[in-house]
Amino acid sequence: AETFTILTENGETKIVIGYASIASNRVTIPVETTKNAEIEPISFNANMFASILNANKDCESAVLQVSSEGLAKISFKIDDFTSTYYLVAVSEVD
């Protein structure tokens, strides 16, 4: 899958790999949130996200923040360092 999508439904947030509006092969990962709002599905580049996760695999903690305007901010804490990445939403998935 080339994208992952953030879905909010019934007060729950999920990351869906391979999301499409029609029946498809997809993997759904429920996530814990500290703040939740109903937003339209937003998709991001999964390959870029995988590269970011791989580069920070030794992190102590990570936070993913998603704006309804199509911007994701990912912050990682490793020892005394914090690294922050931004992802811009890709065009709508079918």
Side-chain angles (χ1 to χ4, degrees), residues 13-86:
T13 303
K14 303 172 190 171
I15 294 177
V16 181
I17 301 169
Y19 174 80
S21 58
I22 58 172
S24 65
N25 291 331
R26 63 172 83 172
V27 175
T28 302
I29 304 166
V31 294
E32 291 182 30
T33 59
T34 56
K35 193 172 185 181
N36 189 342
E38 295 287 325
I39 59 175
E40 293 295 317
I42 300 175
S43 298
F44 298 93
N45 183 300
N47 295 323
M48 184 69 66
F49 188 57
S51 295
I52 292 169
L53 292 177
N54 190 43
N56 293 280
K57 60 185 169 196
D58 296 329
C59 76
E60 299 166 11
S61 65
V63 175
L64 171 64
Q65 297 173 303
V66 178
S67 164
S68 61
E69 300 298 318
L71 185 66
K73 176 182 175 185
I74 312 153
S75 299
F76 297 91
K77 184 172 190 291
I78 303 170
D79 297 325
D80 293 333
F81 299 96
T82 301
S83 57
T84 302
Y85 300 81
Y86 295 90

